Amino acid sequence: MISDHRGQVFTTVEDLVEAMLSSRPPVVLDVRWQLGDDAGHDHYRAGHVPGAVYVDLDTELAAPPSPAAGRHPLPDLADLQAAARRWGIDVGSRVVVYDDWEGKAAARAWWLLRWAGLADVTVLDGGLAAWKSAGMRVSTGDATPRVGNVVLSGGHLPVVTIDEVAARDGSAVLLDARAPERYRGDVEPVDPRPGRIPGAVNAPAGANVTADGRFKPYGELADHFRALGADRDAVVYCGSGVTAAHTIAALASIGVSAALYPGSYSQWSADPDRPVERG
C-alpha cells in the first residue's frame, strides 16, 4: 500500500548538518559518477561535502563488467565489505550518500548498502547542488577516514535474475528506468542492441525529480507510479543496474518495495536469444 516513507529514504541538507554536529555523525559518501564521465574523483577533489569519502562506482560498487553479467554486476560481498570498511563504516553507522547527478549514482550506493544489511542509509535530497545552494562550505582534496568494522550480509533487498525476468508471470510490473529514447530503441549509445525487454513500462529516472534535482513530493510520486501500475510489486531495470536504483528509491519513498534486475539491459541485450521490443 502506498504511504509516505520519504524520511526513511532521503535526508535534507538541514538534517545532515544537524547530524554532522551530533555526538554520532554519519559517514558521508560522495558517489561522483555519470555515464560517459570517468573524472568523478577529480570532481570530488575539486569540492565535496566536508568529511565526505569518495566512492568509485565502477570499481567499488560493481564487479568487473562482462557480456554475461552486464556492465555493472553486483560486487562480491567480501569486496563490498572491505570497501565499506575503507570508507569508515562501522556496525550501526548512519550513512548518507550523495552525488551531483540528481541522486542517480548515489542511489546505487544506497541500494547496495541496504541490500547488504545496513539499516540507516539515506540519499541527500538534491545532492551537492542542494548543499551548495544552502550556503554550506565545501572541502577540497581527499578525506582519509579511519578503517571501520562493519559486517555485511547480502540479500536484504530483493533481486531477480535474467531467467526470472524472462519467466515473469505479470504479477509484478516491469519498469525500465532509462530515458524514453533508449526505451523506445531510437538510440543505444552503449549496449549491443537497441530496444527494451518485452512488456516493460518506461519509468525514466529523470521523472523522479524536479528541475532542481530533488525528488518530487510524495503525492506526485504516488500519482506517477500509480499511473504506471507500480503501486504494487515491481521489478526495475535500466542499462546496467545503476539508475534503476534511483527509481527503486523513489518507489521506497512511497512505501512500495521493488526488486532490482542487476544485469539490466546490458546483460539482456548481449544475449542474442533474448527478444527485444522497439517503438
Side-chain angles (χ1 to χ4, degrees):
M1 181 182 296
I2 288 179
S3 55
D4 192 346
H5 287 69
R6 289 181 63 89
Q8 299 173 29
V9 182
F10 310 129
T11 290
T12 66
V13 170
E14 293 76 12
D15 287 342
L16 177 56
V17 171
E18 183 177 350
M20 292 170 76
L21 296 173
S22 73
S23 61
R24 183 175 165 259
V27 176
V28 182
L29 304 180
D30 183 308
V31 193
R32 210 76 66 88
W33 182 91
Q34 293 190 35
L35 185 63
D37 182 355
D38 60 1
H41 204 168
D42 293 334
H43 301 321
Y44 161 84
R45 290 190 184 106
H48 56 262
V49 173
V53 181
Y54 176 70
V55 174
D56 189 304
L57 187 146
D58 285 325
T59 63
E60 295 181 304
L61 301 181
S66 71
R71 284 187 282 112
H72 289 108
L74 297 188
D76 181 84
L77 186 61
D79 293 337
L80 180 62
Q81 178 175 286
R85 290 181 175 184
R86 286 196 304 272
W87 305 330
I89 299 177
D90 290 328
V91 173
S93 283
R94 177 182 180 184
V95 181
V96 177
V97 298
Y98 76 91
D99 60 27
D100 59 354
W101 192 36
E102 301 178 335
K104 293 173 186 172
R108 171 74 172 205
W110 167 83
W111 186 93
L112 265 178
L113 292 173
R114 292 290 303 274
W115 168 82
L118 285 184
D120 194 353
V121 187
T122 52
V123 178
L124 178 61
D125 197 14
L128 187 62
W131 181 264
K132 289 180 176 179
S133 68
M136 301 299 168
R137 70 178 183 88
V138 297
S139 295
T140 58
D142 282 299
T144 307
R146 60 170 185 77
V147 176
N149 62 16
V150 69
V151 177
L152 301 181
S153 59
H156 296 268
L157 292 181
V159 298
V160 296
T161 66
I162 188 171
D163 289 332
E164 288 170 332
V165 170
R168 70 192 188 281
D169 59 8
S171 59
V173 64
L174 180 63
L175 299 179
D176 184 321
R178 297 174 301 162
E181 59 271 20
R182 290 185 68 194
Y183 167 82
R184 293 190 301 264
D186 299 344
V187 298
E188 183 44 65
V190 285
D191 291 322
R193 292 182 289 159
R196 63 181 177 272
I197 299 174
V201 176
N202 197 202
N208 301 328
V209 296
T210 60
D212 65 358
R214 288 176 169 85
F215 279 81
K216 290 179 177 177
Y218 161 74
E220 289 186 33
L221 287 175
D223 290 345
H224 170 63
F225 286 112
R226 188 181 289 114
L228 296 175
D231 52 346
R232 51 186 175 85
D233 292 341
V235 173
V236 189
Y237 77 92
C238 57
S240 66
V242 173
T243 56
H246 191 273
T247 292
I248 291 175
L251 284 163
S253 78
I254 61 169
V256 176
S257 176
L260 174 69
Y261 167 32
S264 283
Y265 193 70
S266 59
Q267 181 188 40
W268 184 277
S269 61
D271 184 344
D273 293 329
R274 306 287 181 179
V276 300
E277 289 181 344
R278 298 182 68 174

